[in-house]
Coordinates of all heavy atoms in Angstrom, one line a residue:
M1 N 2.2 27.0 4.2 CA 2.3 26.7 5.6 C 3.6 27.4 6.2 O 4.6 27.4 5.5 CB 2.5 25.1 5.7 CG 2.7 24.7 7.1 SD 2.7 22.9 7.2 CE 2.1 22.6 8.8
S2 N 3.5 27.8 7.4 CA 4.6 28.5 8.0 C 4.9 27.9 9.4 O 3.9 27.5 10.1 CB 4.3 30.0 8.2 OG 5.3 30.7 8.8
V3 N 6.1 27.8 9.7 CA 6.5 27.3 11.0 C 6.9 28.4 12.0 O 7.6 29.3 11.6 CB 7.8 26.3 10.8 CG1 8.3 25.9 12.2 CG2 7.4 25.2 10.0
D4 N 6.3 28.4 13.2 CA 6.7 29.5 14.1 C 7.7 29.0 15.1 O 8.2 27.8 15.0 CB 5.4 29.9 14.9 CG 4.7 28.8 15.7 OD1 5.1 27.6 15.5 OD2 3.8 29.1 16.4
A5 N 8.2 29.8 16.0 CA 9.3 29.5 16.9 C 8.9 28.4 17.8 O 9.7 27.5 18.1 CB 9.7 30.7 17.7
A6 N 7.7 28.3 18.3 CA 7.2 27.3 19.2 C 7.3 25.9 18.5 O 7.7 24.9 19.1 CB 5.8 27.5 19.7
T7 N 6.9 25.9 17.2 CA 7.0 24.6 16.4 C 8.4 24.2 16.2 O 8.7 23.0 16.3 CB 6.3 24.8 15.0 OG1 5.0 25.3 15.3 CG2 6.2 23.5 14.3
V8 N 9.3 25.1 16.0 CA 10.7 24.8 15.9 C 11.2 24.1 17.2 O 11.9 23.1 17.2 CB 11.6 26.0 15.5 CG1 13.1 25.7 15.6 CG2 11.2 26.5 14.2
R9 N 10.9 24.7 18.3 CA 11.3 24.1 19.6 C 10.7 22.7 19.8 O 11.4 21.8 20.3 CB 10.9 25.0 20.7 CG 11.7 26.3 20.8 CD 11.3 27.1 22.1 NE 11.7 28.5 21.9 CZ 10.8 29.4 21.4 NH1 9.5 29.1 21.2 NH2 11.2 30.7 21.2
R10 N 9.4 22.6 19.4 CA 8.8 21.3 19.6 C 9.4 20.2 18.7 O 9.7 19.1 19.1 CB 7.3 21.4 19.2 CG 6.5 20.0 19.3 CD 5.1 20.2 19.6 NE 4.3 19.0 19.5 CZ 4.4 18.0 20.3 NH1 5.1 18.0 21.4 NH2 3.6 16.9 20.2
I11 N 9.7 20.6 17.4 CA 10.4 19.7 16.5 C 11.8 19.3 17.1 O 12.1 18.1 17.0 CB 10.5 20.3 15.1 CG1 9.2 20.4 14.4 CG2 11.5 19.5 14.2 CD1 9.1 21.2 13.2
A12 N 12.5 20.2 17.6 CA 13.8 19.9 18.2 C 13.7 19.0 19.4 O 14.5 18.1 19.5 CB 14.5 21.3 18.6
H13 N 12.7 19.2 20.2 CA 12.4 18.4 21.3 C 12.1 16.9 20.9 O 12.6 16.0 21.4 CB 11.3 18.9 22.2 CG 10.8 18.0 23.3 ND1 11.6 17.8 24.4 CD2 9.8 17.2 23.4 CE1 11.0 17.0 25.2 NE2 9.9 16.6 24.7
L14 N 11.2 16.8 19.9 CA 10.8 15.5 19.4 C 12.0 14.8 18.8 O 12.1 13.5 18.8 CB 9.7 15.6 18.4 CG 8.3 16.0 19.0 CD1 7.3 16.3 17.9 CD2 7.8 15.0 20.0
A15 N 12.9 15.5 18.1 CA 14.0 14.9 17.5 C 15.2 14.8 18.4 O 16.3 14.3 18.0 CB 14.5 15.8 16.3
R16 N 15.0 15.2 19.7 CA 16.1 15.1 20.7 C 17.3 15.8 20.3 O 18.5 15.4 20.4 CB 16.5 13.6 21.0 CG 15.3 12.7 21.4 CD 14.8 13.0 22.7 NE 13.9 12.0 23.3 CZ 12.6 12.0 23.2 NH1 12.0 13.0 22.6 NH2 11.9 11.0 23.7
I17 N 17.1 17.1 19.7 CA 18.2 17.9 19.3 C 18.2 19.1 20.2 O 17.2 19.8 20.4 CB 18.0 18.4 17.8 CG1 18.0 17.2 16.9 CG2 19.1 19.4 17.4 CD1 17.5 17.6 15.5
A18 N 19.4 19.4 20.7 CA 19.6 20.6 21.6 C 19.7 21.8 20.7 O 20.6 22.0 19.9 CB 20.8 20.5 22.4
V19 N 18.7 22.8 20.9 CA 18.6 24.0 20.1 C 18.6 25.2 21.1 O 17.7 25.3 22.0 CB 17.4 24.0 19.2 CG1 17.3 25.3 18.5 CG2 17.4 22.9 18.2
T20 N 19.6 26.1 20.9 CA 19.6 27.3 21.8 C 18.6 28.3 21.2 O 18.1 28.2 20.1 CB 21.0 27.9 21.8 OG1 21.3 28.4 20.5 CG2 22.0 26.9 22.3
E21 N 18.2 29.3 22.0 CA 17.3 30.3 21.6 C 17.8 31.1 20.4 O 17.1 31.6 19.6 CB 17.0 31.3 22.8 CG 16.0 30.6 23.8 CD 14.6 30.2 23.1 OE1 14.1 31.0 22.3 OE2 14.2 29.1 23.4
D22 N 19.1 31.2 20.4 CA 19.8 32.0 19.2 C 19.6 31.2 17.9 O 19.6 31.9 16.9 CB 21.2 32.2 19.5 CG 21.5 33.1 20.7 OD1 20.5 33.8 21.1 OD2 22.6 33.0 21.3
E23 N 19.5 29.9 18.0 CA 19.4 29.1 16.7 C 18.0 29.0 16.2 O 17.8 28.7 15.0 CB 19.9 27.7 17.0 CG 21.4 27.6 17.3 CD 21.9 26.2 17.8 OE1 21.2 25.6 18.6 OE2 22.9 25.8 17.2
V24 N 17.0 29.3 17.1 CA 15.6 29.1 16.7 C 15.2 30.0 15.4 O 14.6 29.4 14.5 CB 14.6 29.4 17.9 CG1 13.2 29.5 17.4 CG2 14.8 28.4 18.9
P25 N 15.5 31.2 15.3 CA 15.2 32.0 14.1 C 15.8 31.5 12.9 O 15.1 31.4 11.8 CB 15.7 33.4 14.4 CG 15.8 33.5 15.9 CD 16.1 32.1 16.4
H26 N 17.0 31.0 12.9 CA 17.7 30.5 11.8 C 17.0 29.2 11.3 O 16.7 29.0 10.1 CB 19.2 30.2 12.0 CG 19.9 29.5 10.9 ND1 20.2 30.1 9.7 CD2 20.4 28.2 10.9 CE1 20.8 29.2 8.9 NE2 20.9 28.1 9.6
L27 N 16.7 28.3 12.3 CA 16.1 27.0 12.0 C 14.6 27.3 11.4 O 14.2 26.5 10.6 CB 16.0 26.1 13.2 CG 17.4 25.6 13.6 CD1 17.3 24.8 14.9 CD2 18.0 24.7 12.5
Q28 N 14.0 28.3 12.0 CA 12.6 28.6 11.5 C 12.7 29.0 10.0 O 11.9 28.5 9.3 CB 12.1 29.8 12.4 CG 10.7 30.2 12.0 CD 10.2 31.3 12.9 OE1 10.8 31.7 13.9 NE2 9.0 31.8 12.6
G29 N 13.7 29.8 9.7 CA 13.8 30.2 8.3 C 14.1 29.0 7.4 O 13.6 28.8 6.3
E30 N 15.0 28.1 7.9 CA 15.3 26.9 7.1 C 14.1 26.0 6.9 O 13.9 25.5 5.8 CB 16.4 26.1 7.8 CG 17.8 26.8 7.9 CD 18.5 26.6 6.6 OE1 18.4 25.6 6.0 OE2 19.2 27.6 6.2
L31 N 13.3 25.7 7.9 CA 12.2 24.9 7.8 C 11.1 25.5 6.9 O 10.5 24.8 6.1 CB 11.6 24.6 9.2 CG 12.4 23.7 10.1 CD1 11.8 23.7 11.5 CD2 12.4 22.3 9.5
N32 N 11.0 26.8 7.0 CA 10.0 27.5 6.1 C 10.4 27.4 4.7 O 9.6 27.3 3.8 CB 9.8 29.0 6.6 CG 8.9 29.1 7.8 OD1 8.0 28.3 8.0 ND2 9.2 30.0 8.6
A33 N 11.7 27.5 4.4 CA 12.2 27.4 3.1 C 12.0 26.0 2.5 O 11.6 25.8 1.3 CB 13.7 27.7 3.0
M34 N 12.2 25.0 3.3 CA 11.9 23.6 2.9 C 10.4 23.4 2.6 O 10.1 22.8 1.6 CB 12.3 22.6 4.0 CG 13.8 22.4 4.1 SD 14.2 21.2 5.4 CE 15.4 22.1 6.3
L35 N 9.6 23.9 3.5 CA 8.1 23.7 3.2 C 7.7 24.5 2.0 O 6.8 24.0 1.3 CB 7.4 24.2 4.5 CG 7.5 23.3 5.7 CD1 6.9 23.9 6.9 CD2 7.0 21.9 5.5
A36 N 8.3 25.6 1.7 CA 7.9 26.4 0.5 C 8.3 25.6 -0.7 O 7.6 25.6 -1.7 CB 8.6 27.8 0.5
F37 N 9.5 24.9 -0.7 CA 9.9 24.1 -1.8 C 8.9 22.9 -2.0 O 8.6 22.6 -3.2 CB 11.3 23.6 -1.6 CG 11.8 22.7 -2.7 CD1 12.1 23.3 -3.9 CD2 11.9 21.4 -2.6 CE1 12.6 22.5 -5.0 CE2 12.4 20.6 -3.6 CZ 12.7 21.2 -4.8
V38 N 8.5 22.3 -0.9 CA 7.5 21.2 -1.1 C 6.2 21.7 -1.6 O 5.6 21.0 -2.5 CB 7.3 20.5 0.3 CG1 6.2 19.5 0.3 CG2 8.6 19.8 0.8
E39 N 5.8 22.9 -1.2 CA 4.6 23.4 -1.8 C 4.8 23.7 -3.3 O 3.8 23.5 -4.1 CB 4.2 24.7 -1.1 CG 3.6 24.5 0.3 CD 3.3 25.8 1.0 OE1 3.2 26.9 0.4 OE2 3.0 25.7 2.2
Q40 N 5.9 24.1 -3.7 CA 6.2 24.3 -5.2 C 6.1 23.0 -5.9 O 5.5 22.9 -7.0 CB 7.6 24.8 -5.3 CG 7.7 26.3 -5.5 CD 9.2 26.7 -5.9 OE1 10.1 26.0 -5.4 NE2 9.3 27.7 -6.6
L41 N 6.5 21.9 -5.3 CA 6.5 20.6 -6.0 C 5.0 20.2 -6.1 O 4.7 19.5 -7.1 CB 7.2 19.6 -5.1 CG 8.7 19.7 -5.1 CD1 9.3 18.6 -4.2 CD2 9.3 19.5 -6.5
S42 N 4.2 20.5 -5.2 CA 2.8 20.1 -5.4 C 2.1 20.8 -6.5 O 1.0 20.4 -6.9 CB 2.0 20.4 -4.0 OG 1.9 21.7 -3.8
E43 N 2.6 21.9 -7.1 CA 2.0 22.6 -8.2 C 2.4 22.0 -9.5 O 1.8 22.3 -10.5 CB 2.5 24.0 -8.2 CG 2.0 24.8 -6.9 CD 2.6 26.2 -6.9 OE1 3.4 26.6 -7.8 OE2 2.4 26.9 -5.8
V44 N 3.3 21.0 -9.5 CA 3.8 20.4 -10.8 C 2.7 19.5 -11.3 O 2.2 18.6 -10.5 CB 5.1 19.6 -10.6 CG1 5.5 18.9 -11.8 CG2 6.2 20.6 -10.1
N45 N 2.4 19.5 -12.6 CA 1.4 18.6 -13.2 C 2.1 17.3 -13.5 O 3.0 17.2 -14.3 CB 0.8 19.3 -14.4 CG -0.2 18.4 -15.1 OD1 -0.7 17.4 -14.5 ND2 -0.6 18.8 -16.3
V46 N 1.7 16.3 -12.8 CA 2.2 14.9 -13.1 C 1.2 14.0 -13.7 O 1.3 12.8 -13.6 CB 2.8 14.3 -11.7 CG1 4.0 15.1 -11.2 CG2 1.7 14.3 -10.6
E47 N 0.2 14.6 -14.3 CA -0.9 13.7 -14.9 C -0.3 12.9 -16.0 O 0.4 13.4 -16.9 CB -2.0 14.7 -15.5 CG -3.2 13.9 -16.0 CD -4.0 13.3 -14.8 OE1 -4.0 13.9 -13.7 OE2 -4.6 12.3 -15.1
G48 N -0.5 11.6 -16.0 CA 0.0 10.7 -17.0 C 1.4 10.3 -16.9 O 2.0 9.7 -17.8
V49 N 2.1 10.7 -15.8 CA 3.5 10.4 -15.6 C 3.6 9.1 -14.8 O 3.0 9.0 -13.7 CB 4.3 11.5 -14.9 CG1 5.7 11.1 -14.6 CG2 4.2 12.8 -15.7
E50 N 4.3 8.1 -15.4 CA 4.4 6.8 -14.7 C 5.4 6.9 -13.6 O 6.4 7.6 -13.7 CB 4.9 5.8 -15.7 CG 4.0 5.5 -16.9 CD 2.9 4.4 -16.6 OE1 3.2 3.6 -15.7 OE2 1.8 4.5 -17.2
P51 N 5.1 6.2 -12.5 CA 6.1 6.1 -11.4 C 7.4 5.5 -11.8 O 7.3 4.6 -12.7 CB 5.4 5.2 -10.3 CG 3.9 5.3 -10.7 CD 3.9 5.5 -12.2
M52 N 8.5 5.9 -11.3 CA 9.8 5.4 -11.8 C 10.5 4.8 -10.6 O 10.4 5.1 -9.5 CB 10.7 6.6 -12.2 CG 10.1 7.3 -13.4 SD 11.3 8.6 -14.1 CE 12.0 9.3 -12.6
T53 N 11.4 3.8 -11.0 CA 12.3 3.2 -10.0 C 13.7 3.7 -10.2 O 14.5 3.6 -9.3 CB 12.3 1.7 -10.1 OG1 12.7 1.4 -11.5 CG2 10.9 1.1 -9.8
S54 N 13.9 4.4 -11.3 CA 15.2 5.0 -11.6 C 15.1 6.1 -12.6 O 14.0 6.2 -13.3 CB 16.1 3.9 -12.2 OG 17.3 4.4 -12.7
V55 N 16.1 6.9 -12.8 CA 16.0 8.0 -13.7 C 16.2 7.5 -15.1 O 15.9 8.2 -16.1 CB 17.0 9.1 -13.4 CG1 16.6 9.8 -12.1 CG2 18.4 8.7 -13.3
T56 N 16.8 6.3 -15.3 CA 17.0 5.7 -16.6 C 16.0 4.6 -16.7 O 15.8 3.8 -15.8 CB 18.4 5.2 -16.7 OG1 18.7 4.2 -15.7 CG2 19.5 6.3 -16.7
P57 N 15.3 4.5 -17.9 CA 14.3 3.4 -18.0 C 15.0 2.0 -18.0 O 15.9 1.8 -18.7 CB 13.7 3.7 -19.4 CG 14.5 4.9 -20.0 CD 15.5 5.3 -19.0
M58 N 14.5 1.2 -17.1 CA 15.0 -0.2 -17.0 C 13.9 -1.0 -16.3 O 13.0 -0.5 -15.6 CB 16.2 -0.2 -16.2 CG 16.1 0.2 -14.7 SD 17.6 0.0 -13.7 CE 18.7 1.2 -14.4
Q59 N 13.9 -2.3 -16.6 CA 13.0 -3.2 -15.9 C 13.6 -3.6 -14.6 O 14.8 -3.8 -14.4 CB 12.9 -4.5 -16.8 CG 12.2 -4.3 -18.1 CD 10.7 -4.0 -17.9 OE1 10.1 -4.4 -16.9 NE2 10.1 -3.2 -18.8
M60 N 12.7 -3.7 -13.6 CA 13.2 -4.2 -12.3 C 13.5 -5.7 -12.4 O 12.8 -6.4 -13.0 CB 12.1 -4.0 -11.2 CG 11.9 -2.6 -10.8 SD 10.7 -2.4 -9.5 CE 11.5 -3.2 -8.2
K61 N 14.6 -6.0 -11.7 CA 15.0 -7.4 -11.7 C 14.1 -8.1 -10.7 O 13.9 -7.7 -9.5 CB 16.4 -7.6 -11.2 CG 17.4 -6.9 -12.2 CD 18.8 -7.0 -11.7 CE 19.7 -6.2 -12.7 NZ 20.9 -5.7 -12.1
K62 N 13.5 -9.2 -11.1 CA 12.5 -10.0 -10.3 C 13.0 -11.4 -10.3 O 13.6 -11.9 -11.2 CB 11.1 -9.9 -10.9 CG 10.6 -8.4 -10.9 CD 9.2 -8.4 -11.5 CE 8.8 -6.9 -11.6 NZ 7.6 -6.8 -12.3
R63 N 12.7 -12.0 -9.2 CA 13.0 -13.5 -9.1 C 11.7 -14.2 -8.7 O 10.7 -13.6 -8.2 CB 14.0 -13.7 -8.0 CG 13.6 -13.3 -6.6 CD 14.6 -13.7 -5.5 NE 14.3 -13.2 -4.2 CZ 13.4 -13.7 -3.4 NH1 12.7 -14.8 -3.8 NH2 13.2 -13.2 -2.2
A64 N 11.6 -15.4 -9.0 CA 10.4 -16.2 -8.7 C 10.2 -16.3 -7.2 O 11.2 -16.4 -6.4 CB 10.6 -17.6 -9.2
D65 N 9.0 -16.1 -6.7 CA 8.7 -16.2 -5.3 C 8.4 -17.7 -5.0 O 7.3 -18.1 -5.0 CB 7.5 -15.3 -5.0 CG 7.2 -15.2 -3.5 OD1 8.1 -15.5 -2.8 OD2 6.1 -14.6 -3.2
V66 N 9.5 -18.4 -4.6 CA 9.4 -19.8 -4.4 C 9.8 -20.0 -2.9 O 10.8 -19.5 -2.4 CB 10.4 -20.5 -5.3 CG1 10.3 -22.0 -5.0 CG2 10.1 -20.3 -6.7
V67 N 9.0 -20.8 -2.2 CA 9.3 -21.2 -0.9 C 10.2 -22.4 -0.9 O 10.0 -23.4 -1.5 CB 8.0 -21.5 -0.1 CG1 8.3 -22.0 1.3 CG2 7.1 -20.4 -0.1
N68 N 11.4 -22.3 -0.2 CA 12.3 -23.4 0.0 C 13.0 -23.3 1.3 O 12.9 -22.3 2.0 CB 13.3 -23.5 -1.2 CG 14.2 -22.3 -1.3 OD1 14.4 -21.6 -0.3 ND2 14.7 -22.0 -2.5
D69 N 13.8 -24.3 1.6 CA 14.5 -24.2 2.9 C 15.9 -23.6 2.8 O 16.6 -23.6 3.8 CB 14.7 -25.7 3.4 CG 15.5 -26.5 2.5 OD1 16.0 -26.0 1.4 OD2 15.8 -27.7 2.9
G70 N 16.2 -23.0 1.7 CA 17.5 -22.3 1.5 C 18.6 -23.2 1.2 O 19.7 -22.8 0.9
E71 N 18.3 -24.5 1.2 CA 19.3 -25.6 0.9 C 20.5 -25.6 1.7 O 21.6 -26.1 1.3 CB 19.6 -25.5 -0.6 CG 18.4 -25.7 -1.5 CD 18.7 -25.5 -3.0 OE1 19.8 -25.1 -3.4 OE2 17.8 -25.6 -3.8
I72 N 20.5 -24.9 2.9 CA 21.6 -24.9 3.8 C 21.2 -25.2 5.2 O 21.7 -24.6 6.2 CB 22.4 -23.6 3.7 CG1 21.5 -22.4 4.0 CG2 23.1 -23.4 2.4 CD1 22.3 -21.1 4.2
A73 N 20.1 -26.0 5.4 CA 19.6 -26.2 6.7 C 20.6 -26.7 7.7 O 20.6 -26.4 8.9 CB 18.4 -27.1 6.6
D74 N 21.5 -27.6 7.2 CA 22.6 -28.2 8.1 C 23.5 -27.0 8.6 O 23.9 -27.0 9.8 CB 23.4 -29.2 7.4 CG 22.5 -30.5 7.1 OD1 21.6 -30.8 7.9 OD2 22.8 -31.1 6.1
Q75 N 23.8 -26.1 7.7 CA 24.7 -25.0 8.1 C 24.0 -24.0 9.1 O 24.7 -23.5 10.0 CB 25.2 -24.3 6.9 CG 26.1 -25.0 6.0 CD 26.3 -24.3 4.7 OE1 26.1 -23.2 4.6 NE2 26.9 -25.0 3.7
V76 N 22.7 -23.8 8.9 CA 22.0 -22.9 9.8 C 22.0 -23.4 11.2 O 22.2 -22.6 12.1 CB 20.5 -22.7 9.3 CG1 19.7 -22.0 10.3 CG2 20.5 -22.0 7.9
V77 N 21.8 -24.7 11.4 CA 21.7 -25.2 12.8 C 23.0 -25.8 13.3 O 23.1 -26.4 14.4 CB 20.6 -26.2 12.9 CG1 19.2 -25.6 12.6 CG2 20.8 -27.4 12.0
A78 N 24.1 -25.6 12.5 CA 25.4 -26.3 12.9 C 25.9 -25.8 14.3 O 26.5 -26.7 15.0 CB 26.4 -25.9 11.8
N79 N 25.7 -24.6 14.7 CA 26.3 -24.1 16.0 C 25.2 -24.2 17.1 O 25.5 -23.8 18.2 CB 26.8 -22.7 15.8 CG 28.0 -22.6 15.0 OD1 28.8 -23.5 14.9 ND2 28.1 -21.5 14.3
A80 N 24.1 -24.7 16.8 CA 23.1 -24.8 17.9 C 23.4 -25.9 18.8 O 23.9 -27.0 18.4 CB 21.7 -25.0 17.3
P81 N 23.2 -25.7 20.1 CA 23.5 -26.7 21.1 C 22.6 -28.0 21.0 O 23.1 -29.1 21.3 CB 23.3 -26.1 22.5 CG 22.5 -24.9 22.2 CD 22.7 -24.5 20.8
S82 N 21.4 -27.8 20.5 CA 20.5 -28.9 20.4 C 19.5 -28.7 19.2 O 18.9 -27.7 19.1 CB 19.7 -29.1 21.7 OG 18.9 -30.2 21.6
T83 N 19.5 -29.7 18.3 CA 18.6 -29.6 17.2 C 17.9 -31.0 16.9 O 18.3 -32.0 17.4 CB 19.3 -29.3 15.9 OG1 20.3 -30.3 15.6 CG2 20.1 -27.9 16.0
E84 N 16.8 -30.9 16.2 CA 16.1 -32.1 15.7 C 15.4 -31.8 14.4 O 14.6 -30.9 14.3 CB 15.1 -32.5 16.8 CG 14.4 -33.8 16.4 CD 13.4 -34.2 17.5 OE1 13.8 -34.3 18.7 OE2 12.2 -34.4 17.2
D85 N 15.8 -32.6 13.4 CA 15.2 -32.4 12.0 C 15.3 -31.0 11.6 O 14.3 -30.4 11.1 CB 13.7 -32.9 12.0 CG 13.6 -34.3 12.2 OD1 14.5 -35.1 11.8 OD2 12.5 -34.7 12.8
H86 N 16.5 -30.4 11.7 CA 16.8 -29.0 11.2 C 16.0 -27.9 12.0 O 15.8 -26.8 11.5 CB 16.5 -28.8 9.8 CG 17.3 -29.8 8.9 ND1 18.7 -29.8 9.0 CD2 17.0 -30.7 8.1 CE1 19.2 -30.8 8.1 NE2 18.1 -31.3 7.6
F87 N 15.5 -28.2 13.2 CA 14.8 -27.2 14.1 C 15.7 -27.1 15.3 O 16.3 -28.0 15.8 CB 13.4 -27.7 14.5 CG 12.4 -27.8 13.3 CD1 12.1 -28.9 12.7 CD2 11.8 -26.6 12.9 CE1 11.2 -29.0 11.7 CE2 10.9 -26.6 11.9 CZ 10.7 -27.8 11.2
F88 N 15.7 -25.8 15.9 CA 16.3 -25.6 17.1 C 15.5 -26.1 18.3 O 14.3 -25.9 18.3 CB 16.5 -24.1 17.4 CG 17.4 -23.4 16.3 CD1 16.8 -22.7 15.3 CD2 18.8 -23.4 16.5 CE1 17.6 -22.1 14.3 CE2 19.6 -22.8 15.5 CZ 19.0 -22.1 14.5
L89 N 16.1 -26.8 19.2 CA 15.5 -27.3 20.4 C 15.8 -26.3 21.5 O 17.0 -26.1 21.8 CB 15.9 -28.7 20.8 CG 15.4 -29.8 19.8 CD1 16.0 -31.1 20.2 CD2 13.9 -29.8 19.7
V90 N 14.8 -25.8 22.2 CA 15.0 -24.9 23.3 C 14.2 -25.4 24.5 O 13.2 -26.1 24.4 CB 14.5 -23.4 22.9 CG1 15.4 -22.9 21.8 CG2 13.1 -23.4 22.6
P91 N 14.7 -25.0 25.7 CA 14.0 -25.4 26.9 C 12.6 -24.7 27.0 O 12.4 -23.6 26.6 CB 14.9 -25.0 28.1 CG 15.9 -24.2 27.5 CD 15.9 -24.3 26.0
K92 N 11.6 -25.4 27.6 CA 10.3 -24.9 27.8 C 10.4 -23.8 28.8 O 10.9 -24.0 29.9 CB 9.3 -26.0 28.2 CG 7.9 -25.5 28.4 CD 7.0 -26.7 28.7 CE 5.6 -26.3 28.9 NZ 4.7 -27.4 29.2
V93 N 9.8 -22.6 28.5 CA 9.9 -21.5 29.4 C 8.5 -21.0 29.9 O 8.4 -20.2 30.8 CB 10.6 -20.3 28.8 CG1 12.0 -20.6 28.6 CG2 9.9 -19.8 27.5
V94 N 7.4 -21.6 29.3 CA 6.0 -21.2 29.7 C 5.4 -22.5 30.2 O 5.4 -23.5 29.5 CB 5.3 -20.6 28.5 CG1 3.8 -20.3 28.9 CG2 5.9 -19.4 28.0
E95 N 4.8 -22.4 31.3 CA 4.1 -23.6 31.9 C 2.6 -23.6 31.5 O 2.0 -22.6 31.3 CB 4.2 -23.6 33.4 CG 5.6 -23.6 33.9 CD 6.1 -24.9 34.3 OE1 5.3 -25.8 34.5 OE2 7.3 -25.1 34.5

């Protein structure tokens, strides 16, 4: 895949980056080099390779998925102007 000058200008516009006409050829070369590297990566055989979370083998730390109130309900609503049973009370805004 190759990026042309018009594509560089469009990418710069979408990214909200000010690019002068003098910078377009340099950026075009940079983007083409990045895309060439990505194409090289697609040629690597990864058959049978497990996905990794780190470069060193380790187990992910997991916690039990338990629903609770956080045990600090009083602190959560402490600064609210109006509460009832650990819920915020707000004025009705829709009729």
Side-chain angles (χ1 to χ4, degrees):
M1 178 177 208
S2 180
V3 175
D4 60 353
T7 305
V8 171
R9 286 187 206 94
R10 178 154 171 73
I11 291 170
H13 172 74
L14 292 172
R16 307 287 195 264
I17 299 171
V19 175
T20 65
E21 283 301 316
D22 296 338
E23 296 172 314
V24 170
H26 174 70
L27 291 173
Q28 183 178 354
E30 292 281 325
L31 289 170
N32 283 327
M34 286 183 230
L35 291 173
F37 181 71
V38 171
E39 285 179 15
Q40 263 186 328
L41 290 176
S42 68
E43 296 172 6
V44 175
N45 181 11
V46 293
E47 189 68 33
V49 177
E50 295 275 334
M52 299 186 318
T53 57
S54 174
V55 294
T56 57
M58 65 174 67
Q59 292 289 334
M60 286 185 63
K61 297 175 184 155
K62 298 177 184 173
R63 62 174 172 79
D65 191 12
V66 179
V67 177
N68 63 25
D69 64 357
E71 301 172 359
I72 58 167
D74 292 328
Q75 294 172 10
V76 170
V77 296
N79 291 328
S82 182
T83 63
E84 183 178 308
D85 294 328
H86 303 300
F87 291 100
F88 295 98
L89 293 178
V90 296
K92 184 176 180 180
V93 293
V94 178
E95 301 260 347

